[in-house]
Structures are given as C-alpha cells and as structure tokens.
Amino acid sequence: MILLSLTNKIGWDLVDDHSSHAQLIALLFYQASIQGPYFGQIGYWSRLAKMPNLEALAQYRAIANRTIVYLNDNLSDKQYICGDTYIIADIALFPWLR
C-alpha cells in the first residue's frame, strides 16, 4: 500500500487518536480490496471487454452500489471520511466515485 507507506513516512495521516488511525488504515485497505477492484471491473465490462457479459456487469454494479451506500453512511455525520480533516483516505476513495 503505497499511500499507507507515504503517510507513515511523512506523517500525513492527520488523525488525532489511535482509533481514527485504525479507521484510516481500514479505509485504505477497503479502497484497495473492494472499491478499486469492483469499480475497475465495471469499467472493464462496460468499455473494454470484447465479449460483453451483462451478468458480470450487473454483479459488479450491485457491489459498487453497496460500496457507495457504505461510504455515504460513513459520511452522513462528518465532512470527511474520518472526521473533520481531509486525509489520505479521502484522496484514495474519491477518484473512483468521481
């Protein structure tokens, strides 16, 4: 995880306590293992695949939609994903949602 390594190296995770730091790490792993791969599959099956597979596309869209719901729920009571400070997890999650 390059982003995690960079935050540790330069101290830019900007979280105040241990539980927030643990949440930051969990969100970076969430992005790398769930959000990125499933959103990437949508891009592949909707734009790049030579033979369309509508079942696969529907499955990955359903998972991506659950990802969006999860992130919206996380953001319902705060400005940024881990609180009131813009951190590396926001940077990692945003491009896939854009």
Side-chain angles (χ1 to χ4, degrees), residues 6-25:
L6 287 173
T7 60
N8 289 332
K9 184 175 182 176
I10 62 174
W12 196 61
D13 58 15
L14 300 176
V15 293
D16 297 329
D17 57 36
H18 182 65
S19 65
S20 294
H21 187 75
Q23 183 182 15
L24 165 73
I25 293 170

Side-chain angles (χ1 to χ4, degrees), residues 69-90:
V69 168
Y70 170 76
L71 293 173
N72 278 337
D73 289 346
N74 259 333
L75 289 166
S76 66
D77 61 344
K78 52 193 163 215
Q79 186 173 1
Y80 299 105
I81 198 70
C82 282
D84 295 327
T85 305
Y86 184 70
I87 61 172
I88 199 75
D90 297 289

Side-chain angles (χ1 to χ4, degrees), residues 22-61:
Q23 183 182 15
L24 165 73
I25 293 170
L27 285 165
L28 288 175
F29 277 90
Y30 177 81
Q31 190 286 320
S33 64
I34 295 174
Q35 185 199 34
Y38 289 109
F39 277 66
Q41 288 292 327
I42 292 170
Y44 174 78
W45 290 110
S46 62
R47 295 185 197 107
L48 301 173
K50 293 180 182 184
M51 297 289 294
N53 184 336
L54 298 179
E55 289 177 14
L57 184 57
Q59 175 184 351
Y60 293 123
R61 279 189 177 150

